[in-house]
């Protein structure tokens, strides 16, 4: 599964993990993805969306009582 938000396009960020002795090793910061059901054009879809898009209201979750 690609770690990319299907709403805003955010993905993992890369950088260095720096130890106390100042050695650098590569690492990744992953985004907080959730697999949610949304209403899109009258149908229900499952999409991978980051928590920032859910909290800011870019995506509305589908209600369970709507089925």
């Amino acid at each position: 599964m690609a770690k990319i938000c299907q709403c805003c396009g955010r993905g993992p960020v890369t950088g260095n993990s720096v130890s106390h002795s100042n050695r650098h090793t590569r690492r990744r910061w992953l985004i907080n993805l959730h697999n949610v059901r949304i209403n899109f054009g009258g149908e229900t879809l499952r999409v991978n969306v980051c928590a920032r898009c859910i909290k800011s209201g870019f995506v509305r979750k589908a209600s369970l009582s709507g089925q």
Side-chain angles (χ1 to χ4, degrees):
M1 174 178 92
K3 307 273 188 208
I4 296 175
C5 176
Q6 293 178 343
C7 179
C8 64
R10 278 195 333 153
V13 179
T14 59
N16 288 317
S17 179
V18 182
S19 70
H20 180 67
S21 63
N22 208 27
R23 290 182 60 90
H24 291 61
T25 54
R26 299 299 285 176
R27 63 160 292 184
R28 295 172 75 192
W29 285 271
L30 299 178
I31 63 172
N32 188 6
L33 277 184
H34 294 273
N35 191 1
V36 296
R37 295 184 314 113
I38 64 168
N39 286 329
F40 184 75
E43 59 181 307
T44 303
L45 300 175
R46 280 194 174 273
V47 293
N48 290 321
V49 182
C50 66
R52 182 167 37 167
C53 290
I54 296 171
K55 284 165 50 174
S56 62
F58 289 130
V59 174
R60 293 287 307 238
K61 288 186 182 181
S63 62
L64 290 175
S65 62
Q67 288 185 350

